[in-house]
Amino acid sequence: NWLKGQSGFKHTEFTYGVMLNTLGKCGHMSEMRKLFGEMRKEGLTITPVIISCIMHWSARVVDSSTVLYHWKKLKLEGKKPSLGIYTAYIDYLIRAKKFTKIPPVYETMLTEECLPNGRLYTLLIQHLANAGRLRAAVKILEIMQKLHVVPSRVAYEFIINGYLKEDNFKKVEELLNEMRERFHRPSKRLIPVMKAFGVAGKTEQAATLQEEIWHDDNSEISANEEGQVSEEPGSNMSEDILDSLMCEWRDATSPHVGFDVNAFAQALHTWNGEVETVLEEANVQWRSALVLEVLRRLRNLDTSWPFFHWVKNRAGFKHDAFSCMVMIQRILKSRSSIERT
């Protein structure tokens, strides 16, 4: 509001969008809707990213009127919803327990050549696992693997806990090892698994898992998040959406259907020759928008710094002011020695 009164300054869809997300994240839904109305009165462009943002936060609180208003409006106008909008709408249907409506929406999404990403797959796995439909959740995981979409840590952990409820320690250990091979570090969501290992006399597995869980200080899950997608940095859906907004506004789209930015950044805890080999074999087309999305998600300077230098040597790529700015921010915020970098 103070900025509005500054000479020569005018808010854009980008600044409005950031504020809309902030209000939604804080749960100020009425203020978010009011700001959206103001944005429309100003004649600013209402992009699919803005709509998906409004629908996402509205779905989180099961605000049916807002979600359905935007969904029906898109349909009446004959516009194809974006992947973000589909994801937000399916999230709403799950939270509102309107499960029978999910399959036709999902099928329509596919017919419109709107391919699911890791976030949507994880949402479906969460729903199926919470509903006790473990086999269906496992099928989603298998589909991701066939499509070369890297499953997120959250997806693995919901399924692992599902197998734990069945006392299937063989599958629990199998998926834990697969999860580690994907460079996913277990979070506190797997504490029940750690305890179950101890009770079952699997002391070595329990000790290893305990060390992994407590190794990362960023793996906190709030007390009221049991059965929900994690509220932790790097892997939670809401923060993934927030982090990706500015990139999406710059027309950032992944040029490679098999490359999941969220899963990659979440899984990358160390940088070594093996990581470089995997990336080179993936044959990803590194564009400025995609690199910016990755850098914004890499919280650790030990991974963002080598990635920054590795990608600059890729044919046809050159860092721009945005990627350099993100890297400078990472360095300044890091507790590591700036001289070392």
Side-chain angles (χ1 to χ4, degrees):
N1 286 328
W2 174 81
L3 279 171
K4 288 180 182 177
Q6 302 309 300
S7 177
F9 179 83
K10 185 177 181 180
H11 282 297
T12 66
E13 60 266 31
F14 305 120
T15 53
Y16 268 103
V18 171
M19 198 62 221
L20 285 168
N21 272 279
T22 302
L23 291 171
K25 185 179 182 181
C26 294
H28 300 309
M29 307 308 295
S30 60
E31 290 86 348
M32 183 184 73
R33 290 190 293 270
K34 182 179 179 182
L35 186 65
F36 178 67
E38 179 183 309
M39 182 181 178
R40 295 177 67 177
K41 287 181 181 178
E42 291 290 330
L44 294 172
T45 302
I46 306 299
T47 66
V49 178
I50 292 290
I51 298 300
S52 66
C53 163
I54 298 292
M55 290 181 65
H56 167 74
W57 294 118
S58 298
R60 299 274 289 189
V61 297
V62 198
D63 179 357
S64 301
S65 59
T66 300
V67 173
L68 294 176
Y69 168 78
H70 289 292
W71 180 256
K72 290 177 180 178
K73 187 173 186 292
L74 283 169
K75 293 296 182 180
L76 287 172
E77 293 174 351
K79 296 180 180 178
K80 291 183 179 180
S82 66
L83 177 58
I85 291 173
Y86 268 118
T87 302
Y89 186 58
I90 291 174
D91 185 18
Y92 159 73
L93 293 176
I94 291 173
R95 293 173 186 273
K97 302 186 185 302
K98 298 182 179 182
F99 306 124
T100 58
K101 294 188 177 182
I102 295 174
V105 171
Y106 189 80
E107 289 174 9
T108 302
M109 182 184 76
L110 294 179
T111 58
E112 293 179 349
E113 298 183 352
C114 192
L115 297 175
N117 59 9
R119 187 184 303 132
L120 179 53
Y121 281 129
T122 299
L123 186 68
L124 294 172
I125 287 173
Q126 173 198 355
H127 158 58
L128 292 169
N130 284 342
R133 300 178 61 189
L134 181 60
R135 300 296 173 270
V138 171
K139 284 186 178 180
I140 297 291
L141 184 69
E142 291 171 351
I143 290 172
M144 294 178 73
Q145 293 167 332
K146 288 179 181 178
L147 295 176
H148 303 291
V149 176
V150 179
S152 67
R153 171 170 65 180
V154 178
Y156 274 117
E157 290 181 337
F158 271 109
I159 293 178
I160 287 171
N161 277 317
Y163 277 122
L164 178 64
K165 292 177 182 178
E166 296 182 351
D167 293 325
N168 192 337
F169 285 100
K170 181 180 178 181
K171 293 300 295 185
V172 167
E173 292 187 55
E174 180 183 309
L175 281 175
L176 266 174
N177 289 330
E178 183 180 316
M179 179 177 164
R180 289 163 179 147
E181 289 173 1
R182 298 283 190 177
F183 305 102
H184 291 313
R185 180 178 294 135
S187 76
K188 290 182 181 179
R189 190 181 287 103
L190 293 184
I191 287 178
V193 177
M194 179 191 72
K195 292 179 178 178
F197 277 151
V199 173
K202 297 177 178 289
T203 54
E204 184 178 342
Q205 292 91 327
T208 300
L209 190 54
Q210 182 179 23
E211 183 180 353
E212 290 174 320
I213 290 173
W214 295 102
H215 183 272
D216 188 0
D217 291 335
N218 291 327
S219 64
E220 295 184 6
I221 299 176
S222 61
N224 63 348
E225 281 298 309
E226 184 177 356
Q228 298 295 325
V229 170
S230 164
E231 287 292 341
E232 58 183 296
S235 73
N236 103 36
M237 290 184 180
S238 61
E239 185 161 292
D240 285 342
I241 290 175
L242 289 168
D243 283 348
S244 67
L245 277 169
M246 291 305 296
C247 299
E248 290 188 59
W249 281 327
R250 296 188 186 101
D251 297 321
T253 55
S254 176
H256 191 275
V257 69
F259 187 80
D260 190 308
V261 179
N262 293 326
F264 168 70
Q266 177 185 321
L268 191 61
H269 299 292
T270 58
W271 186 273
N272 51 41
E274 183 181 354
V275 173
E276 293 186 12
T277 300
V278 171
L279 286 177
E280 287 168 2
E281 291 177 352
N283 195 28
V284 176
Q285 181 186 350
W286 293 103
R287 299 188 304 188
S288 296
L290 180 58
V291 169
L292 187 61
E293 284 207 51
V294 172
L295 286 173
R296 286 175 64 85
R297 287 166 169 74
L298 292 177
R299 310 285 175 165
N300 188 343
L301 190 62
D302 291 333
T303 52
S304 59
W305 182 247
F307 171 75
F308 182 86
H309 284 282
W310 175 84
V311 76
K312 76 178 181 182
N313 296 320
R314 301 305 98 192
F317 178 79
K318 185 178 181 180
H319 283 296
D320 57 19
F322 298 112
S323 60
C324 289
M325 178 181 67
V326 171
M327 196 67 248
I328 290 171
Q329 290 175 337
R330 288 286 177 269
I331 293 172
L332 293 175
K333 290 180 179 180
S334 174
R335 295 179 181 178
S336 305
S337 169
I338 294 179
E339 293 181 0
R340 177 169 62 86
T341 60

